[in-house]
Amino acid sequence: MHETLIRDFAMDGRVAVVTGAGSGIGQEAACVLAEAGADLVLADINADGLAETARLVRERGRTAAPLPVDIADRSAVDDLADAAVQALGKVDAWVNGAGILHPFAILEAEEATLDRLLNINLKGTYWGCAAAGRVMKPRGGGAIVNISSAAADNPVAALSGYAMTKASINMLTRTAAVEFGSFNCRVNAIAPGFVETALVAGAYCDEQGRIDPERREAFLRDRAAATPLGTTGRPRDIALAILYLVSDASRFVTGQVLRPNGGVVMP
Ligand SMILES: NC(=O)c1ccc[n+]([C@@H]2O[C@H](COP(=O)([O-])OP(=O)(O)OC[C@H]3O[C@@H](n4cnc5c(N)ncnc54)[C@H](O)[C@@H]3O)[C@@H](O)[C@H]2O)c1
């Protein structure tokens, strides 16, 4: 590949914070950013997952600082930003990847479950944007990527709570892009379609929580059939879109929602 093109996507000398880095899309995002040359601050509530991602980042020759954090805790997210600056000197990119999924019918909704979704998916992302903006502003900029979902654009039974948080993340992204543009901080969202990760495995697990291979195969076949491309996503499909949005390749892009989703929704 031509050197100038590699430079557009290169993250050499940059520091990226990834929340939700202990599994799935966040873990793969950390790996791809490390492959592009970034050093990583890895945040997740799951310490074991974090240790594995740190190993994968170091295997790629980059520095990894794993920090256990509950993103629903505003002060912990603020501390994460300060710890990132302390550990690696600065923050150039921040990926708000941590999230949960709780399916329930509106008529059966429990307040505690809805609050959990709002606190982690929406407020966690909100505090992530605020903390990232705070440390990026004095340095003259950076790039933030929020992880939304195809569910933000497509009403699906039992996903009201999850979908509300993701639709709100799209609006948070646009508003933050307006507020942060003056200090050269770009804010974008990625709204993935179906990607097989721990988040969605509940859809094909048996009552003991074990994956049922037949149910899994049928479920994946259905999800693939729902897309014009006839396939489901891989964490790497999303991670490469994240790399685009945090690198100089997207220097003119802010306030946008990028949809790597096989075409399942085209709003
Ligand atoms: N997998 C999909 O099909 C899909 C589709 C659209 C959007 N997404 C979004 O992508 C993001 C990553 O999901 P994934 O599929 O990789 O799932 P995953 O379950 O593999 O990863 C999510 C990570 O977030 C962490 N996390 C959960 N609560 C946390 C908290 N309070 N504080 C810190 N970390 C916490 C988990 O420990 C986990 O490591 C989520 O925001 C999800 O909503 C996933």
Side-chain angles (χ1 to χ4, degrees):
M1 199 190 284
H2 200 281
E3 239 172 63
T4 53
L5 195 53
I6 291 175
R7 256 202 314 274
D8 288 330
F9 288 89
M11 295 293 289
D12 298 293
R14 308 220 180 147
V15 175
V17 175
V18 178
T19 76
S23 173
I25 291 168
Q27 181 172 77
E28 189 64 22
C31 290
V32 164
L33 295 179
E35 286 163 23
D39 291 321
L40 271 300
V41 176
L42 307 167
D44 202 291
I45 204 161
N46 170 4
D48 291 343
L50 271 184
E52 170 60 7
T53 309
R55 189 188 67 74
L56 293 169
V57 167
R58 290 174 190 137
E59 200 174 77
R60 285 159 174 77
R62 307 311 316 174
T63 300
L67 299 170
V69 173
D70 177 356
I71 60 150
D73 177 345
R74 180 185 184 172
S75 64
V77 178
D78 261 335
D79 291 349
L80 168 66
D82 293 331
V85 172
Q86 203 164 18
L88 295 177
K90 57 177 181 164
V91 176
D92 300 296
W94 185 298
V95 181
N96 286 306
I100 58 165
L101 175 68
H102 275 309
F104 52 81
I106 295 169
L107 294 183
E108 284 150 28
E110 285 177 10
E111 191 167 3
T113 313
L114 182 59
D115 283 347
R116 209 170 120 69
L117 272 168
L118 293 168
N119 286 337
I120 296 174
N121 289 11
L122 179 53
K123 288 173 74 178
T125 302
Y126 193 100
W127 300 133
C129 286
R134 177 173 61 79
V135 293
M136 286 173 179
K137 187 174 180 178
R139 282 191 40 84
I144 299 171
V145 176
N146 298 326
I147 307 299
S148 175
S149 168
D153 299 307
N154 189 29
V156 173
L159 287 191
S160 61
Y162 179 77
M164 276 174 4
T165 65
K166 296 302 187 177
S168 300
I169 284 174
N170 291 355
M171 195 57 196
L172 163 65
T173 300
R174 297 183 187 109
T175 313
V178 169
E179 291 191 13
F180 294 2
S182 62
F183 54 91
N184 194 34
C185 176
R186 299 183 298 104
V187 190
N188 291 289
I190 291 190
F194 180 86
V195 178
E196 190 181 5
T197 65
L199 186 90
V200 293
Y204 41 78
C205 279
D206 61 22
E207 269 129 47
Q208 282 75 48
R210 285 184 305 241
I211 288 177
D212 176 334
E214 270 176 37
R215 281 178 64 186
R216 172 179 169 269
E217 205 180 308
F219 189 82
L220 294 187
R221 206 180 316 115
D222 279 0
R223 300 273 42 88
T227 69
L229 288 180
T231 189
T232 56
R234 303 161 308 164
R236 197 166 179 89
D237 298 323
I238 313 307
L240 289 168
I242 291 171
L243 172 61
Y244 167 65
L245 286 178
V246 298
S247 67
D248 292 346
S250 62
R251 65 166 286 278
F252 196 42
V253 181
T254 197
Q256 305 302 312
V257 180
L258 180 60
R259 295 179 171 82
N261 65 12
V264 71
V265 288
M266 305 180 192

